[in-house]
Amino acid sequence: MDILGIGSATVDDLLFVPAFPQQDTKMEILRHERQGGGLCATALVAAARLGARVGFAGVLGHDEISRWVADDLAGEGIDVSQAVYREDAVPIHAHIIVDPSGSRTILYSVDGRIGADDELPSAEVIQSSRVLFIDDFGTSGNIRAARLARAAGIPIVADFELTDEPELLQQVDHLIVSACYAGRVTGTADPGLAARRLWHEQRAAVVVTCGDQGAWYADGEAPAHFQAAFRVEPVDTTGCGDVFHGAYAAALTWGLSLDERVRFASATAALKATQPGGRKGIPTRAAVEAFLMSGQ
Amino acid sequence: MDILGIGSATVDDLLFVPAFPQQDTKMEILRHERQGGGLCATALVAAARLGARVGFAGVLGHDEISRWVADDLAGEGIDVSQAVYREDAVPIHAHIIVDPSGSRTILYSVDGRIGADDELPSAEVIQSSRVLFIDDFGTSGNIRAARLARAAGIPIVADFELTDEPELLQQVDHLIVSACYAGRVTGTADPGLAARRLWHEQRAAVVVTCGDQGAWYADGEAPAHFQAAFRVEPVDTTGCGDVFHGAYAAALTWGLSLDERVRFASATAALKATQPGGRKGIPTRAAVEAFLMSGQ
């Protein structure tokens, strides 16, 4: 396996309505569409579409939503044979009302455990992958898996939005976070400075993503490096951050340099934004390379 | 089979929210509950809980919602072996936002065919049942099945909310409709008069239900008969009309008189209303009989 992900997978039921509903009324919706989401799952889908061999080993339950997630990931060519099934696990499930103004009204439920498990997958599974991908969900399981990966010299790529658990933050080799998160944990609104503050000697890289403002990244040299965002006509930026992570992880398995990885991930995220939906626009590796060659 | 139903089955996803959502916001829901609904399906569930041997032979698709419906009906002891699977069929699926004020904001989708099929179930299946139950959905299939039932002397019980197809209305032996529907097709707001106008020589009975106002019914005698509603503390009247239909059909298979059928169906619907949800409160036959014996 090139990339093993042990984080969150979620399900979004998008309800496209002709107008935002009034309370206590009845309305026929225009369209209902179920989409997969979640930091880890969307990153893994991106990596798989880009050609990486990807496995999902996060927690799932025995409910219909869990089955949908497993089928959805398998349909993307992701190996779900190491997914961990637990009685108390239920993916986050969101119902999202999308009205013509473009507004999204999100009703979500957290009904059970998600993310990394405390005991599985086995050390052998973790240590036979080339990259371990983790996110915010399942802190103790993430710490266990990160220790096992570290011990075997396997790089850890992380997408955090919430956690400030010191040991977990410490373990990550490739820390890729939003400017919002980076600002909160470092106390500075300057993303380049935040990247440098998050860097330490055991890390390979820190990337702070700032959407259409570009990305700052640090590798121990000062000042931080900068990658401008690619100019595209954005249609839907949902999931762009997750896709950036997946593309970065895929590029890492190909042996690209840090500059190349950030450039490749930025281009992948930009192309994704040109299509509606959180995953629809995720391009192939050939499409990203053609985009980069086109002189963008 | 005592009762064969060929009408609609639907799925309601109830989203219990702490307050009705504001547009473009994100809210954690309190609870998500999936319930089965549909005129025909809820009537069949009621009949099955009352002890009748029931089959469902309406149209289902190959989607997850259809699977859920089949599993749900089978879980009620309903024979779904004659359900008709079609590529273009999808049950009606509603998302219902339930807020603490009790208001229900319904977002529903009609994505494919539902109701009676044009070719199935076979004449043998229809003609080996003791009662045929139809609703509004699948007009040409309903007409086909009604002709087959008529030819074999099998009574047809119908629940209509929408259709005004003359041949279909003509074929029904036991026409049980709401005061709202009866008023629309007969042009009178008087439910007793509406019942008499809907009666004709080939019918066994017409019942016009008026919720907690009671039910008027006609059998060719003038004036129409009246059954007062049973006094209960209503908690949720969702599905009461459908339950009335199912109880009436079950009572028909037991050989009860029209007066007894309407009384039994009224009591069953009243007991259902004392519990939340469209089906939870559906009582057993013994519970209805105990309620009737208690001098209500």
Side-chain angles (χ1 to χ4, degrees):
Chain A
M1 205 71 74
D2 291 332
I3 304 168
L4 181 72
I6 56 170
S8 63
T10 66
V11 172
D12 294 339
D13 278 310
L14 278 71
L15 310 176
F16 294 85
V17 291
F20 188 75
Q22 298 293 308
Q23 188 173 7
D24 222 0
T25 60
K26 192 168 180 173
M27 174 187 281
E28 183 168 351
I29 68 173
L30 304 172
R31 193 161 57 87
H32 173 206
E33 189 178 321
R34 178 167 281 188
Q35 295 182 348
L39 303 181
C40 176
T42 301
L44 296 183
V45 168
R49 293 224 195 136
L50 291 164
R53 289 172 308 141
V54 176
F56 173 76
V59 164
L60 292 175
H62 298 289
D63 58 314
E64 180 261 318
I65 299 294
S66 293
R67 280 194 298 276
W68 193 90
V69 167
D71 289 347
D72 184 50
L73 295 178
E76 295 283 352
I78 295 170
D79 180 345
V80 293
S81 64
Q82 299 296 326
V84 182
Y85 290 89
R86 297 294 189 198
E87 285 301 327
D88 61 345
V90 181
I92 292 176
H93 184 191
H95 289 85
I96 305 179
I97 301 167
V98 186
D99 65 53
S101 75
S103 87
R104 289 172 164 247
T105 308
I106 302 173
L107 306 175
Y108 69 97
S109 53
V110 186
D111 294 328
R113 201 149 58 92
I114 57 167
D117 187 70
D118 285 348
E119 295 167 11
L120 290 171
S122 68
E124 292 67 34
V125 169
I126 291 168
Q127 293 176 338
S128 64
S129 64
R130 297 178 58 208
V131 167
L132 178 69
F133 193 95
I134 64 175
D135 67 17
D136 279 315
F137 297 93
T139 299
S140 52
N142 278 329
I143 291 174
R144 167 191 172 266
R147 284 178 186 158
L148 288 165
R150 278 246 162 205
I154 291 161
I156 301 161
V157 178
D159 182 1
F160 293 144
E161 285 185 350
L162 305 165
T163 192
D164 51 8
E165 167 63 34
E167 182 177 350
L168 190 54
L169 269 166
Q170 176 71 26
Q171 297 272 10
V172 172
D173 303 276
H174 301 264
L175 182 63
I176 308 172
V177 293
S178 70
C180 175
Y181 175 88
R184 198 172 71 241
V185 297
T186 62
T188 171
D190 174 343
L193 181 58
R196 290 190 55 219
R197 285 191 181 165
L198 286 167
W199 197 82
H200 59 63
E201 287 296 334
Q202 280 83 50
R203 283 215 215 287
V206 174
V207 185
V208 176
T209 61
C210 304
D212 63 4
Q213 304 297 302
W216 279 260
Y217 55 104
D219 56 0
E221 294 174 27
H225 310 284
F226 176 67
Q227 168 68 53
F230 290 93
R231 285 196 203 150
V232 290
E233 287 287 333
V235 171
D236 189 342
T237 60
T238 311
C240 276
D242 306 333
V243 168
F244 187 104
H245 284 79
Y248 181 99
L252 184 63
T253 69
W254 304 328
L256 300 193
S257 71
L258 177 57
D259 290 336
E260 291 168 328
R261 294 195 295 270
V262 175
R263 187 159 176 265
F264 186 87
S266 299
T268 307
L271 285 173
K272 192 238 76 92
T274 64
Q275 300 284 331
R279 293 180 179 173
K280 191 180 165 196
I282 298 172
T284 62
R285 182 176 178 178
V288 179
E289 287 174 347
F291 177 74
L292 289 169
M293 293 283 283
S294 71
Q296 289 285 332
Chain B
M1 204 72 74
D2 292 331
I3 303 168
L4 181 72
I6 57 170
S8 63
T10 67
V11 172
D12 294 339
D13 278 310
L14 277 71
L15 309 175
F16 294 85
V17 292
F20 188 74
Q22 298 293 307
Q23 189 173 7
D24 223 1
T25 60
K26 192 167 178 171
M27 173 187 280
E28 184 167 352
I29 68 173
L30 304 172
R31 192 162 58 89
H32 173 204
E33 188 178 324
R34 178 168 281 189
Q35 295 182 348
L39 304 181
C40 176
T42 301
L44 296 184
V45 168
R49 294 225 193 133
L50 291 165
R53 290 172 307 142
V54 176
F56 174 76
V59 164
L60 292 175
H62 299 288
D63 58 314
E64 179 262 317
I65 298 293
S66 292
R67 279 194 298 277
W68 192 90
V69 167
D71 289 348
D72 183 50
L73 294 179
E76 295 283 352
I78 295 171
D79 180 345
V80 294
S81 64
Q82 299 296 326
V84 182
Y85 289 88
R86 298 292 189 198
E87 285 301 328
D88 60 345
V90 181
I92 292 176
H93 184 191
H95 290 84
I96 305 178
I97 302 168
V98 186
D99 66 56
S101 76
S103 86
R104 292 175 162 244
T105 307
I106 303 174
L107 307 174
Y108 69 97
S109 53
V110 186
D111 292 331
R113 202 148 60 90
I114 57 167
D117 187 70
D118 286 347
E119 295 166 12
L120 289 172
S122 68
E124 290 69 35
V125 169
I126 291 169
Q127 293 176 339
S128 63
S129 64
R130 295 179 59 209
V131 167
L132 177 68
F133 192 94
I134 64 175
D135 66 17
D136 279 316
F137 296 93
T139 299
S140 52
N142 278 330
I143 291 174
R144 167 190 171 266
R147 283 179 187 159
L148 288 166
R150 278 246 163 205
I154 292 162
I156 302 161
V157 177
D159 183 0
F160 294 144
E161 285 186 348
L162 304 165
T163 193
D164 51 8
E165 167 63 35
E167 183 177 349
L168 191 53
L169 269 166
Q170 176 71 24
Q171 296 274 10
V172 172
D173 304 276
H174 300 263
L175 181 63
I176 307 171
V177 293
S178 70
C180 176
Y181 174 88
R184 200 173 69 241
V185 297
T186 62
T188 172
D190 175 341
L193 180 58
R196 290 189 55 220
R197 285 191 182 167
L198 285 166
W199 198 82
H200 60 63
E201 286 297 333
Q202 280 84 51
R203 285 216 214 287
V206 175
V207 184
V208 176
T209 62
C210 304
D212 62 5
Q213 303 298 301
W216 278 260
Y217 54 105
D219 56 0
E221 294 173 27
H225 311 283
F226 176 67
Q227 168 69 53
F230 290 92
R231 285 195 203 152
V232 292
E233 286 287 332
V235 171
D236 188 343
T237 59
T238 310
C240 276
D242 307 333
V243 168
F244 187 103
H245 284 80
Y248 181 99
L252 184 62
T253 69
W254 303 328
L256 300 194
S257 70
L258 176 58
D259 290 337
E260 290 167 329
R261 294 195 296 268
V262 174
R263 187 157 177 268
F264 186 88
S266 298
T268 308
L271 286 172
K272 193 237 77 90
T274 63
Q275 300 284 330
R279 293 181 179 172
K280 192 181 165 196
I282 298 173
T284 61
R285 182 176 177 177
V288 180
E289 287 173 348
F291 178 75
L292 288 170
M293 294 282 284
S294 71
Q296 288 285 331

